[in-house]
Amino acid sequence: MKLVVCVIIDKEVDALLLVEQSLGRGYWFPFDEIKPGETRAITAKRIASKICPYDFELVNVIKVRCSDLLPCLPSTQTYYLLTKGRLMRGNASNLVNSIWMNLERMKTAVKNRELLGLEPFYLLKTVLERQQTNGWDDFISGGQIFEEPILQFIDCKQPDPNNQLVASPQEQLMGSAKFNIKLQERVFKEFYSYTFPSEYMSYQAFIEAMDNKLSSAEKVKMQAYFRAFDAQQKSYLTYSDYLLGLAAMDPSTSHGGAPAEQRCRYIFRFYNIKNNGNMSIDEFRELHSDVQNLKAGKANNDVPPYSEILSAFNSFNVQTNNQLQLTDFLNSVGQLKYRGTSVLFRLATNVQDLLRMCKRYKDVKADNQNDRAQSNFNYEIADHCVTLKKSGTLAQVESLRSMNRSDQLSTTTEYALRNIPRSPSEEIFDRRTVATDIQDLLRFFEKRDQSKDALVWTPSIFINLAKNVVTLCKEVRDIFRREPRCLKISSPCYVLGDIHGNYQDLVCFEKSLWRATPLLSPASFLFLGDYVDRGIHGLEVIIYLLAAKYQCPKKVLLLRGNHEIRKVQQMFSFYKECMSKFGDTLGKEVWDAINSVFDVLPLAAVIDDKILCVHGGIPSPVSCPGDFVFAVNDIAVPLSDPENESPLAWEIMWNDPFSIDTNAAAQLPIGVNGGFFNNTRRSTGNYFTSEALMTFLEKNNFTHVIRAHEVQQVGFKVQLSGRLLTVFSSSHYCGGTNEAATVLVDAAKLRLIRLDTT
């Protein structure tokens, strides 16, 4: 998203125009997304005119937040300053929910938490200071008054009892909570999803973000939690405030050394209702009661006798004003004179398992994506006319520029055609590429004639083929690297399962579904992995698909399966296949080049935001506690050793659904935790039950899962209450009698199609 934020100032009274945001989130600047064909300045004027029917002076850009500097943010924001000398503010706004605020009114709004974020207060304060010092003219010519922000991560350092100076208290808190950079980025994404488009978290946004982290009894104390997080007492939280507060609450954070001192500061603020650094005996009574109840595992709110509370309170060497100061509290807890605080200010579950994106923000993103999908297509006439045979194969491809124009093109078109830039059609039809060279070699390999049998290479071809394969891998690897780990696809889309070196079936699918190249099909084609091993033509299958990907990158989509892993290929047949076809030296080069592509393949895809497609199965909550799409997109690229580098990727590639009819030898363990248990048949990965699938679908707003990974007699199997489809696209697998199938996702239907290979 590219947003323009309007800073509208009345210079006569030094007031700022703010608009109340939806759902009572507070007042903030008016903003909107840049529409197709608009410049940032035009967008700013459109926003201003919608709010106030007067001319504004578009002054300059005063702030930019760029997604290049904040890579985990999906939006770029530009703040435009607009000014007006005299405004009739009584009815100057078209919006009932707008308000003019001067600096004093803004201070009241901050104190009363009326703002969405602190940007209006700080910005107006800075603008007024600048213009009072330099005047409006100098201020206007002074350029930007805010720097582009950069997300500052906190080093995750383990506490060193022998040298406390090695790391700051904040770094030691991060280390104790195990908040590495990747997790800090996830926290930031969650933070921003609730504060959007502000960079500050209001109390209302805090309530929403903490809703799934606290029990019903704890939510009653939400004001106390916010007060504890708000160490700077600004009534709004920065990302660092939120991050450090969550780290202090994480159950894995140590209650000793520097992390304990940091935690005790949060605990003190939690119970210090006046937030003045001095705790009264009434405030301490709440603290001491919680310590005693939590230590004893009590669910009620029993209050210890007053004499016990007074004795504990006086043990802190309370001063004559009968107030417990923060420094005395920290010293007594640190010296173990007062025990039991380790149970306070704790989450029941690790933070990484509780992170989730705000649904409101996800809906905004989805709406904007849909808008772009409908409005950003600029259609043009393609360069070529394609002639098809009755069989569906390509007969002739002619460039419009070289055709007999008197028949096909009008005079005005003939002139215009000279000025039309060549489209990517030339990559597929006109120009020789490494992909077309490999496709020609594969057609020769497939063709049966008098000189050779079909599906047999001649020795003279191998050196040229190897050279082309290595070159193709380098080219297509860059294409895959630019794709997200979890693809977003629109229907119609064909989904194909395991191919496993079955080149004959792949060609049969081609002749049935995309005979005239995928480019001329309205559908896209998603392959779920396992292209190599088991079958004898793994090389031909994968280079066919990579060549197709090179030519039609948006139509041909490949996921990684559990056989696109070096160790697995060395156990099975693909490594040996490359060595036998090319020899040890050339074969190793080809094998390495192909696996370098496997390392960057996407791991999942979502069709129409509803149908999840993976090779193996859904992941367990242990490897994916939060939002699935965001977690998958966070997986490292490249990923050469998924077993050790990403438990989430490993489960996606290896997990299987559990049902009695397909796992007769397996028994459902008693008391299965969350519907996942060890996959004894494969000795790796997990089984997942129907209940686990339903929970996963509901959590991520999916309706079905399409996966591969298991051979099926008729090419497919509908499982787990009809919410999971297994598709297998290689017939006669390992000498068996099974059929091959595909799934067409189109028009709100999942259509099963079997391939007749007889």
Side-chain angles (χ1 to χ4, degrees):
M1 287 175 283
K2 293 184 177 180
L3 303 178
V4 167
V5 182
C6 286
V7 181
I8 304 176
I9 295 179
D10 182 347
K11 293 189 294 184
E12 294 297 316
V13 293
D14 296 336
L16 193 66
L17 182 61
L18 302 181
V19 175
E20 186 177 15
Q21 305 303 310
S22 60
L23 302 175
R25 299 177 65 212
Y27 288 98
W28 208 68
F29 303 112
F31 69 94
D32 200 357
E33 187 177 12
I34 299 176
K35 292 184 177 181
E38 285 186 340
T39 64
R40 294 182 302 181
I42 291 175
T43 302
K45 290 182 178 179
R46 172 173 58 82
I47 297 170
S49 62
K50 181 179 179 181
I51 297 172
C52 206
Y54 293 89
D55 290 333
F56 287 92
E57 181 184 1
L58 192 63
V59 180
N60 61 353
V61 174
I62 59 174
K63 183 179 181 183
V64 175
R65 180 169 67 189
C66 181
S67 55
D68 292 336
L69 297 177
L70 295 172
C72 48
L73 279 184
S75 64
T76 300
Q77 295 184 11
T78 302
Y79 287 66
Y80 257 99
L81 176 64
L82 298 92
T83 62
K84 182 69 175 178
R86 294 182 179 275
L87 284 175
M88 297 176 59
R89 291 185 306 281
N91 295 308
S93 173
N94 286 336
L95 300 179
V96 177
N97 59 343
S98 64
I99 186 172
W100 287 93
M101 288 191 185
N102 60 21
L103 196 58
E104 290 303 314
R105 176 66 180 87
M106 199 83 74
K107 291 178 181 177
T108 303
V110 171
K111 183 179 179 180
N112 296 335
R113 298 173 177 172
E114 297 179 63
L115 303 179
L116 173 67
L118 287 176
E119 289 92 346
F121 171 72
Y122 285 128
L123 198 147
L124 180 60
K125 184 172 180 290
T126 304
V127 166
L128 294 179
E129 289 173 352
R130 284 279 299 274
Q131 68 90 9
Q132 287 172 4
T133 302
N134 304 317
W136 276 104
D137 292 338
D138 290 342
F139 166 72
I140 291 171
S141 62
Q144 294 187 9
I145 61 174
F146 288 95
E147 298 291 332
E148 294 189 44
I150 299 175
L151 179 59
Q152 297 288 344
F153 294 109
I154 302 174
D155 287 342
C156 180
K157 295 184 178 180
Q158 295 300 319
D160 185 354
N162 299 321
N163 187 357
Q164 295 292 338
L165 298 178
V166 171
S168 68
Q170 291 184 345
E171 290 172 338
Q172 294 187 58
L173 182 63
M174 291 292 105
S176 183
K178 300 179 178 61
F179 275 27
N180 57 27
I181 299 300
K182 187 65 72 174
L183 182 56
Q184 290 183 45
E185 223 178 67
R186 289 183 58 203
V187 173
F188 182 79
K189 290 178 180 178
E190 181 192 62
F191 173 86
Y192 182 68
S193 75
Y194 285 95
T195 65
F196 170 82
S198 173
E199 296 173 28
Y200 294 89
M201 177 172 277
S202 66
Y203 177 62
Q204 181 61 38
F206 181 78
I207 292 174
E208 296 176 341
M210 296 297 289
D211 182 67
N212 72 314
K213 300 176 178 64
L214 301 174
S215 66
S216 298
E218 292 168 331
K219 291 176 186 177
V220 177
K221 302 177 181 179
M222 194 68 76
Q223 287 272 13
Y225 282 107
F226 187 83
R227 182 171 60 247
F229 275 62
D230 186 17
Q232 303 177 67
Q233 298 187 29
K234 292 185 176 180
S235 300
Y236 291 82
L237 304 181
T238 65
Y239 161 64
S240 294
D241 294 331
Y242 186 64
L243 174 71
L244 291 168
L246 290 180
M249 294 186 72
D250 196 284
S252 64
T253 301
S254 169
H255 200 69
E261 180 178 334
Q262 292 295 304
R263 275 185 33 77
C264 284
R265 292 179 183 274
Y266 284 92
I267 292 169
F268 192 91
R269 288 194 297 271
F270 184 91
Y271 293 96
N272 186 201
I273 297 174
K274 294 182 180 179
N275 205 14
N276 58 4
N278 296 305
M279 186 179 292
S280 68
I281 191 169
D282 289 334
E283 293 170 338
F284 178 76
R285 179 192 304 167
E286 293 295 323
L287 186 155
H288 186 71
S289 298
D290 285 350
V291 167
Q292 300 307 314
N293 288 328
L294 291 171
K295 283 171 60 178
K298 295 180 180 179
N300 52 28
N301 294 318
D302 290 346
V303 179
Y306 184 78
S307 58
E308 177 186 328
I309 294 171
L310 183 62
S311 175
F313 188 66
N314 289 330
S315 69
F316 289 96
N317 298 320
V318 176
Q319 304 299 314
T320 54
N321 62 358
N322 205 32
Q323 298 284 313
L324 171 58
Q325 295 184 347
L326 172 62
T327 54
D328 293 331
F329 179 74
L330 295 176
N331 289 335
S332 293
V333 174
Q335 296 170 15
L336 303 182
K337 293 180 180 179
Y338 185 79
R339 295 173 176 268
T341 54
S342 63
V343 298
L344 301 176
F345 202 69
R346 291 285 195 191
L347 293 171
T349 308
N350 290 332
V351 169
Q352 66 176 353
D353 298 338
L354 297 171
L355 297 177
R356 66 175 185 179
M357 298 295 289
C358 177
K359 184 179 185 299
R360 177 181 61 251
Y361 177 69
K362 290 197 292 186
D363 289 345
V364 168
K365 285 183 63 182
D367 290 344
N368 280 278
Q369 288 168 356
N370 290 336
D371 291 342
R372 283 194 293 272
Q374 294 174 4
S375 61
N376 273 11
F377 280 115
N378 293 318
Y379 281 94
E380 62 181 19
I381 297 175
D383 296 331
H384 297 74
C385 174
V386 177
T387 304
L388 300 179
K389 295 181 180 179
K390 291 182 179 180
S391 62
T393 58
L394 283 173
Q396 186 180 15
V397 178
E398 298 175 274
S399 170
L400 295 181
R401 290 176 170 84
S402 62
M403 294 178 70
N404 183 353
R405 295 174 182 172
S406 61
D407 292 334
Q408 288 85 10
L409 308 175
S410 69
T411 304
T412 54
T413 300
E414 182 178 344
Y415 174 79
L417 199 61
R418 300 194 193 108
N419 302 313
I420 296 177
R422 298 182 72 83
S423 74
S425 294
E426 67 173 306
E427 298 292 326
I428 293 106
F429 298 125
D430 264 4
R431 191 164 62 85
R432 300 301 306 175
T433 66
V434 64
T436 57
D437 289 345
I438 283 181
Q439 288 171 334
D440 285 347
L441 290 172
L442 286 171
R443 292 289 176 254
F444 177 69
F445 170 76
E446 177 193 344
K447 185 179 178 182
R448 182 183 298 276
D449 58 26
Q450 296 180 353
S451 62
K452 72 174 193 62
D453 293 330
L455 306 183
V456 175
W457 292 105
T458 60
S460 61
I461 291 179
F462 281 125
I463 294 179
N464 187 33
L465 177 63
K467 177 182 176 182
N468 282 336
V469 170
V470 172
T471 302
L472 174 65
C473 288
K474 291 178 181 178
E475 296 283 347
V476 81
R477 189 175 191 269
D478 291 337
I479 297 175
F480 285 117
R481 287 205 66 152
R482 291 193 292 268
E483 294 181 333
R485 280 302 205 184
C486 184
L487 302 170
K488 289 294 186 75
I489 306 172
S490 298
S491 61
C493 179
Y494 287 96
V495 183
L496 289 89
D498 298 32
I499 304 294
H500 275 306
N502 191 334
Y503 187 72
Q504 295 96 318
D505 278 9
L506 181 60
V507 172
C508 286
F509 276 115
E510 174 200 72
K511 293 177 179 178
S512 302
L513 305 178
W514 66 89
R515 191 159 195 166
T517 83
L519 182 71
L520 300 182
S521 168
S524 54
F525 300 87
L526 174 65
F527 295 81
L528 299 182
D530 278 12
Y531 314 110
V532 300
D533 285 335
R534 302 288 192 179
I536 62 174
H537 293 128
L539 173 72
E540 289 75 20
V541 166
I542 189 58
I543 64 176
Y544 175 101
L545 293 173
L546 295 184
K549 177 69 177 180
Y550 180 89
Q551 288 192 312
C552 310
K554 295 182 180 180
K555 287 290 187 71
V556 178
L557 307 158
L558 308 182
L559 302 187
R560 190 175 189 176
N562 64 299
H563 279 263
E564 280 68 67
I565 298 172
R566 291 169 179 81
K567 292 179 181 178
V568 176
Q569 296 162 23
Q570 288 171 326
M571 291 172 55
F572 288 88
S573 61
F574 186 57
Y575 179 79
K576 296 176 183 177
E577 180 183 344
C578 290
M579 299 304 114
S580 65
K581 289 181 176 177
F582 296 105
D584 292 347
T585 302
L586 206 52
K588 181 67 163 55
E589 184 179 357
V590 169
W591 184 73
D592 284 336
I594 292 173
N595 275 281
S596 72
V597 177
F598 291 161
D599 290 343
V600 298
L601 288 183
L603 295 161
V606 180
I607 304 175
D608 294 338
D609 294 321
K610 292 296 182 182
I611 312 299
L612 173 65
C613 301
V614 292
H615 177 73
I618 62 171
S620 65
V622 174
S623 65
C624 184
D627 182 275
F628 175 84
V629 173
F630 281 93
V632 172
N633 282 333
D634 277 342
I635 295 174
V637 182
L639 191 68
S640 60
D641 185 12
E643 182 176 12
N644 296 310
E645 295 175 355
S646 174
L648 173 56
W650 192 254
E651 286 201 44
I652 290 172
M653 292 188 285
W654 284 94
N655 283 2
D656 287 315
F658 178 85
S659 57
I660 299 301
D661 54 341
T662 58
N663 299 279
Q667 296 294 322
L668 183 65
I670 298 175
V672 175
N673 184 20
F676 290 85
F677 57 99
N678 289 338
N679 191 327
T680 53
R681 182 164 60 91
R682 297 188 188 275
S683 299
T684 190
N686 290 304
Y687 283 123
F688 56 92
T689 64
S690 178
E691 292 74 17
L693 177 65
M694 295 303 177
T695 300
F696 175 85
L697 293 175
E698 181 178 358
K699 176 182 177 182
N700 291 280
N701 200 28
F702 299 143
T703 62
H704 295 80
V705 172
I706 302 177
R707 45 91 66 170
H709 197 40
E710 290 182 294
V711 62
Q712 302 297 337
Q713 186 58 34
V714 296
F716 69 88
K717 191 174 187 69
V718 184
Q719 298 165 271
L720 305 190
S721 303
R723 294 301 189 93
L724 182 136
L725 270 173
T726 297
V727 59
F728 202 81
S729 303
S730 176
S731 65
H732 306 292
Y733 177 66
C734 294
T737 60
N738 69 287
E739 299 177 53
T742 183
V743 181
L744 172 60
V745 182
D746 185 31
K749 298 289 185 183
L750 304 180
R751 302 188 184 279
L752 296 159
I753 302 171
R754 294 157 69 183
L755 180 67
D756 184 0
T757 58
T758 56

